[in-house]
Amino acid sequence: MTGSTAASFTADDYRARMERAVRTAADAGLAGLLVAPGPDLVWLTGYTPPAVTERLTLLVLAAGQDPVLVVPALEAPDAHRAAGATALTLRDWTDGKDPYAATAALLDTSGRFGISDNAWALHLLALQQAMPGSSYASLTEALPMLRAVKDAAELDLMAAAGAAADATFEEIRDVPFAGRPESEVAADLDRLLRRHGHEQVDFTIVASGPNGANPHHEAGDRVIAGGDMVVLDFGGLRDGYGSDTSRTVHVGEPTDEERRVHDIVREAQEAGFRAVRPGAACQDVDRAAREVIAAAGYGEYFIHRTGHGIGVTTHEPPYMIEGEERPLVPGMCFSVEPGIYLPGRFGVRIEDIVTVTEDGGRRLNTTARELVIVE
């Protein structure tokens, strides 16, 4: 079950994305965008450098000029093969030359630019030296919604990634849990995600018993025992787009309290999902889920935001959190993942990826949200 159904984005798709990025930057008062290797560069051009090194690779986007990709000469052949290469101009540079001066020649040297969050300080400082009058803002700060609204092809890839994660859960619930260390079950999750088409696995949280009270517990050598609640949270990239789902299972029959806590989280997750609709604020999703947990008396044990955006990375804007008043827009994709974490005892989290539709929301994860009993 490793087949890929990835859509092939064309040079026209990448051209449209770059044009939209330039318009969005201008609307934000920026003179342009400087995009270093990473998810933004892949999304805008289809290009992933063969290695990220001290040599400057930078996409330069500015109004009134064609996009330019500044690349080391030894990597230019790879850049020419990128899916979006024909939508931009490649400008290569050889060792011994000054790529920062060449980049500065393309820009308003007194402008303010958005720059990739993951750009190296080495490169940013050299650009500032080449353009003393310039200033910079991180892309997350300046254009947080750049990649947030997915088009139809992207939504298809997101749905396929979600289905692959669901298939992984359906299989993992049948493996033995009791008597095995968390790390072994985590390895099973990794193997199954890859078997279902993921080229990259970002996390495989297996948090048993008291470890479940730590939302970001890393699977370790604790041996899972009968009577344990086990939080499973796993995902990564399939055909370049992210999956992320959480389900909580129980080894053997749970106690009445464990069932009650799980039911509260399930109700909270449903309330968060029902709050998803165009025009609603991101914080409305958080409030809806949090209200259920607080009303049940567990408010102090819900210790993280209700959700995060997802796309070509598994965590990105928008965030479902109090104070985020940004409105939901059709095509946005994000997690809805409330939880209750009882220190020293157990935790419960239930998570689906949801996309905003024209009249509400659609879950991209559809496995059972009821408490699953495992052996």
Side-chain angles (χ1 to χ4, degrees):
M1 300 182 68
T2 58
S4 169
T5 58
S8 295
F9 295 115
T10 67
D12 286 341
D13 294 323
Y14 292 112
R15 181 180 291 106
R17 291 177 184 178
M18 288 187 281
E19 289 173 350
R20 175 154 63 95
V22 169
R23 292 193 302 271
T24 306
D27 291 343
L30 299 173
L33 301 179
L34 305 175
V35 184
D40 291 314
L41 184 64
V42 174
W43 184 77
L44 287 164
T45 69
Y47 177 53
T48 301
V52 179
T53 71
E54 75 285 355
R55 293 184 173 94
L56 180 70
T57 295
L58 200 68
L59 174 66
V60 177
L61 298 177
Q65 66 181 51
D66 291 338
V68 177
L69 182 61
V70 178
V71 294
L74 74 170
E75 294 173 5
D78 295 296
H80 276 290
R81 287 192 289 270
T86 58
L88 48 79
T89 299
L90 267 68
R91 185 161 300 180
D92 61 22
W93 61 276
T94 56
D95 288 349
K97 301 295 185 181
D98 184 351
Y100 307 105
T103 301
L106 303 170
L107 299 168
D108 171 1
T109 57
S110 62
R112 180 169 177 78
F113 300 95
I115 189 166
S116 301
D117 296 16
N118 55 333
W120 285 19
L122 170 73
H123 300 316
L124 177 55
L125 292 171
L127 286 169
Q128 288 178 314
Q129 187 173 17
M131 301 187 298
S134 62
S135 60
Y136 302 86
S138 73
L139 284 188
T140 293
E141 173 193 345
L143 301 180
M145 295 295 105
L146 180 63
R147 305 192 315 257
V149 177
K150 278 65 177 175
D151 63 24
E154 290 180 294
L155 289 173
D156 286 345
L157 293 173
M158 291 291 302
D166 284 355
T168 294
F169 177 70
E170 294 295 355
E171 292 193 46
I172 201 69
R173 60 187 287 179
D174 292 329
V175 309
F177 278 72
R180 301 176 68 205
E182 295 170 340
S183 57
E184 284 190 9
V185 179
D188 288 340
L189 285 169
D190 186 294
R191 172 179 54 81
L192 289 169
L193 283 168
R194 294 182 190 279
R195 198 171 94 191
H196 288 288
H198 281 64
E199 69 272 8
Q200 176 178 314
V201 175
D202 289 339
F203 45 87
T204 53
I205 293 173
V206 178
S208 63
N211 289 340
N214 175 2
H216 281 174
H217 171 71
E218 292 194 8
D221 57 6
R222 182 184 187 275
V223 175
I224 302 169
D228 277 349
M229 194 79 91
V230 185
V231 178
L232 305 173
D233 184 348
F234 50 94
L237 298 182
R238 183 186 187 277
D239 295 330
Y241 282 77
S243 70
D244 185 1
T245 189
S246 300
R247 293 293 184 263
T248 302
V249 301
H250 197 277
V251 185
E253 284 300 314
T255 65
D256 289 345
E257 181 190 22
E258 288 169 331
R259 281 194 181 277
R260 183 172 66 255
V261 170
H262 191 278
D263 284 346
I264 293 166
V265 174
R266 182 164 54 85
E267 291 170 15
Q269 208 268 348
E270 178 67 19
F273 169 69
R274 290 189 179 280
V276 175
R277 63 185 183 279
C282 292
Q283 68 180 6
D284 293 342
V285 179
D286 182 82
R287 288 174 174 178
R290 201 168 297 277
E291 182 179 354
V292 172
I293 292 174
Y298 289 93
E300 66 183 292
Y301 302 110
F302 180 11
I303 57 177
H304 56 72
R305 65 197 175 202
T306 293
H308 58 82
I310 185 170
V312 293
T313 59
T314 50
H315 280 210
E316 61 187 43
Y319 298 102
M320 306 302 112
I321 189 170
E322 180 66 30
E324 178 52 87
E325 298 179 351
R326 193 179 309 278
L328 300 180
V329 175
M332 283 183 174
C333 296
F334 49 84
S335 66
V336 178
E337 51 175 308
I340 292 175
Y341 307 93
L342 303 178
R345 302 183 62 205
F346 65 89
V348 175
R349 182 164 64 257
I350 301 172
E351 174 186 16
D352 294 327
I353 299 303
V354 173
T355 185
V356 184
T357 64
E358 294 297 332
D359 57 3
R362 175 168 68 99
R363 299 182 193 267
L364 301 186
N365 297 107
T366 59
T367 55
R369 283 167 287 280
E370 292 76 22
L371 184 58
V372 169
I373 308 302
V374 297
E375 296 182 356

